[in-house]
Amino acid sequence: MANRKDFSPTDRTRLKRKSNRGRYDAKTVYDILDAAIFASIGFVIDGQPHLIPTAIWREDVWLYIHGSNGSRLIQHLASGAPAVVSVTHLDGLVLARSAFHGSVNYRSVCLYGEFEKVEAAEEKYRQMQLFYEKLVPGRWQDMRPPTANELAATSVLMIRIEEAVAKIRSGPPIDDEADMLLPHWAGVIPTQQVWGQPQADEKLNPWVVMPDYLARYGAQG
């Protein structure tokens, strides 16, 4: 299925404040989702709101999660209950000349819809492979794959990326003209996620050598 070119704003995704920061094109939404490992998933059970972080991955127009069959999150979402998925990347602290105009640079996505289960065992297996390969390319071939029983104890859910909006803030502070000559430093402190060097399990057999794909992993920015 071809990727969609854009998303039509809905009552839930149309930005009412700072609408100029909204993005509805698929590339922006997909890029933000693909850069994320975790998302927060919101849902309501018996009038009580819940917000649970969980790992995510995307293939085409679908976003995936997985978890134990006994998980309250998985059981509730598998029933087709409404849900919202939220992803945010912090890109920097925006220091303005005034406290009022201090801000942060960020990239975010909110996605609304209903999850459904991936039923076929072969597809669940393939999606778990995609998940691991997103986290650490090359890892799937370097570990024991899930057994039939382990796969049966795991649910994979997917939600169509259809009702979605990205919101982005970038650039320097926006101070009032009257504050521009104040003697206070203004600018941006950028931030980024950096992976450290892999640390071996203390119980690792001494003859096991770190594979090249892991040795390179810590060098990624």
Side-chain angles (χ1 to χ4, degrees):
M1 182 180 296
N3 288 350
R4 291 186 53 168
K5 293 183 179 180
D6 54 40
F7 304 98
S8 298
T10 68
D11 289 342
R12 294 190 291 191
T13 64
R14 184 177 291 104
L15 298 182
K16 297 178 176 61
R17 187 174 182 276
K18 301 288 186 182
S19 60
N20 60 307
R21 297 181 182 178
R23 304 287 190 276
Y24 295 94
D25 63 289
K27 183 180 186 308
T28 298
V29 170
Y30 293 164
D31 285 349
I32 293 172
L33 292 175
D34 291 346
I37 294 176
F38 269 82
S40 295
I41 300 183
F43 56 95
V44 176
I45 299 179
D46 297 331
Q48 174 63 48
H50 299 272
L51 187 68
I52 296 180
T54 191
I56 61 169
W57 69 100
R58 180 185 70 88
E59 185 182 33
D60 198 37
V61 297
W62 298 94
L63 189 75
Y64 293 83
I65 65 173
H66 78 290
S68 167
N69 292 343
S71 162
R72 176 172 61 173
L73 168 71
I74 294 297
Q75 290 180 347
H76 186 70
L77 294 181
S79 71
V84 57
V85 181
S86 177
V87 165
T88 301
H89 302 284
L90 176 65
D91 294 326
L93 302 179
V94 181
L95 306 182
R97 294 164 181 81
S98 67
F100 183 79
H101 288 297
S103 188
V104 295
N105 285 339
Y106 63 91
R107 292 160 292 138
S108 67
V109 163
C110 277
L111 163 64
Y112 298 87
E114 296 80 37
F115 283 88
E116 56 187 273
K117 291 186 71 171
V118 175
E119 299 287 359
E122 297 82 1
E123 179 61 11
K124 286 171 61 177
Y125 185 96
R126 190 180 73 84
Q127 287 300 330
M128 292 307 300
Q129 181 177 0
L130 289 177
F131 170 59
Y132 272 97
E133 285 298 302
K134 173 192 175 179
L135 291 179
V136 186
R139 186 60 180 170
W140 188 259
Q141 300 302 321
D142 195 33
M143 64 180 184
R144 176 182 67 77
T147 65
N149 287 339
E150 290 171 340
L151 200 62
T154 303
S155 289
V156 175
L157 306 184
M158 60 184 187
I159 184 171
R160 187 178 180 87
I161 307 169
E162 188 169 36
E163 191 176 358
V165 58
K167 190 175 183 182
I168 299 173
R169 200 259 185 225
S170 61
I174 304 174
D175 275 303
D176 294 335
E177 190 64 31
D179 292 333
M180 296 303 289
L181 294 180
L182 291 175
H184 309 305
W185 189 92
V188 175
I189 303 176
T191 184
Q192 61 179 333
Q193 179 174 271
V194 178
W195 298 108
Q197 290 296 323
Q199 300 176 357
D201 183 356
E202 293 180 355
K203 297 180 180 179
L204 186 69
N205 289 322
W207 48 265
V208 176
V209 178
M210 182 185 298
D212 289 342
Y213 68 85
L214 286 181
R216 296 190 299 267
Y217 204 81
Q220 299 182 60

